Amino acid sequence: MEKSTVRVLDIPFYNISQAAFIEELLFCADQNQKKFVVTANPEIVMNTKADVHFKQIVTSADYIVPDGVGIVMAAERLGTPLKERVTGFDTLVGILNKAPEKQFRVYFLGATPEVSSKLMEKMKISYPNLMIAGSHHGYFDLEESENITQEIIDTGADFIFVALGSPAQEKWILSHFHRFPKGIFMGVGGCFDVLSGSVKRAPQWMIKWKLEWVYRFITNPSRWRRFFAIPRFMREVKKEVRRKEVGK
Ligand code: UDP
């Protein structure tokens, strides 16, 4: 069956609810399938506009999901609404919660060596029944990358979460994807920092009011560069809305 997608600035987003997406990935893992998931926010969309090669990587994914309220709002403005946002963080947590039932093996690649080992400690406490296939920090060179790939293959991991930041994580996934016989691969950015307790997630009320980005900005001002992508993204969406109106 064709997937229902909604185009935002030429990126086809999968139109599915968060809960249904988690179920779909669990189903794919159960069938020993191989899938590449990109959770795209406005910054990633803008990067695809600036870099043709990166756009090819993103659009080669099996699933592109709207990670952030910006994408959902843009789809609404374009007259083709998406069901809701489907975030990397919620997808990751959803899989961690459900993986033990089916005894899926989960591999965690990325973050600093400290965060990576803290994460493993935290996983054992928070998800005692989770089958951890393994983990490796995200500061390695090209040569080590080949060994890490083989190590992950040998673990028989069903889910491989890659936290190298974007675009490095999407590039890593695509360039090694062909070597894996199976696995659900998803780039998860800074999620390991949050899950390990190294970086706090925004308070619930801010998440509820969709102000998580404000919190991340205040607590980590070095991220300011990426916030410039948001007004640029909005301007592009506005142009696209106008083009659509003229074309009617
Ligand atoms: N990271 C990594 N290797 C690198 C560069 C970054 O493992 O060479 C990790 C970094 O430690 C952090 C994550 O990648 O855990 C990037 O987080 P960030 O918040 O920048 O990503 P975003 O959520 O914005 O994509």
Side-chain angles (χ1 to χ4, degrees):
M1 197 179 69
E2 259 304 286
K3 281 204 289 284
S4 151
T5 58
V6 165
R7 270 183 188 273
V8 174
L9 303 187
D10 210 27
I11 299 298
F13 284 91
Y14 191 21
N15 191 11
I16 191 168
S17 71
Q18 175 70 73
F21 186 57
I22 292 167
E23 288 308 317
E24 184 157 338
L25 293 186
L26 290 164
F27 173 81
C28 293
D30 203 31
Q31 306 283 310
N32 285 324
Q33 292 180 16
K34 197 160 80 152
K35 298 283 180 196
F36 172 21
V37 180
V38 171
T39 67
N41 56 20
E43 188 197 4
I44 290 187
V45 172
M46 290 315 289
N47 288 346
T48 65
K49 284 187 82 68
D51 179 348
V52 183
H53 179 57
F54 182 55
K55 184 173 181 180
Q56 280 168 356
I57 294 175
V58 169
T59 52
S60 75
D62 298 287
Y63 300 106
I64 307 171
V65 290
D67 192 344
V69 64
I71 305 289
V72 175
M73 278 164 61
E76 182 95 41
R77 287 200 62 187
L78 289 161
T80 47
L82 281 158
K83 287 199 168 76
E84 62 177 337
R85 72 188 179 140
V86 178
T87 69
F89 189 83
D90 291 333
T91 305
L92 168 59
V93 170
I95 299 291
L96 296 180
N97 279 322
K98 298 211 166 168
E101 273 169 41
K102 290 267 182 183
Q103 303 199 320
F104 290 135
R105 302 167 70 77
V106 180
Y107 195 98
F108 300 85
L109 176 64
T112 63
E114 298 74 37
V115 168
S116 178
S117 59
K118 229 170 130 183
L119 179 70
M120 289 307 96
E121 291 307 310
K122 200 77 188 224
M123 288 297 103
K124 285 177 201 147
I125 298 165
S126 308
Y127 303 91
N129 299 320
L130 181 69
M131 294 182 70
I132 299 173
S135 69
H136 197 289
H137 64 77
Y139 292 80
F140 48 81
D141 58 29
L142 220 60
E143 205 176 305
E144 279 174 283
S145 194
E146 296 309 311
N147 298 337
I148 295 168
T149 303
Q150 192 55 51
E151 180 193 306
I152 303 173
I153 294 170
D154 293 343
T155 66
D158 300 288
F159 286 91
I160 299 96
F161 295 111
V162 185
L164 301 175
S166 183
Q169 58 199 20
E170 287 79 23
K171 288 183 177 167
W172 189 91
I173 293 172
L174 193 65
S175 58
H176 297 87
F177 199 61
H178 66 281
R179 289 193 50 195
F180 288 86
K182 66 164 187 177
I184 312 298
F185 294 77
M186 184 171 86
V188 292
C191 289
F192 293 176
D193 301 272
V194 178
L195 271 184
S196 65
S198 311
V199 165
K200 293 235 172 320
R201 211 183 172 197
Q204 272 308 317
W205 69 267
M206 282 186 113
I207 296 175
K208 188 169 164 226
W209 290 98
K210 303 187 172 30
L211 293 172
E212 197 169 4
W213 62 275
V214 178
Y215 179 85
R216 293 176 89 186
F217 184 47
I218 295 166
T219 53
N220 189 356
S222 67
R223 299 173 70 93
W224 61 271
R225 253 175 55 236
R226 64 189 57 186
F227 285 98
F228 280 137
I230 296 174
R232 284 194 290 120
F233 172 78
M234 294 313 225
R235 273 201 299 277
E236 287 300 323
V237 171
K238 216 168 166 180
K239 277 195 228 161
E240 182 84 13
V241 170
R242 260 192 240 122
R243 267 197 297 272
K244 269 194 150 180
E245 281 168 359
V246 170
K248 263 185 193 164

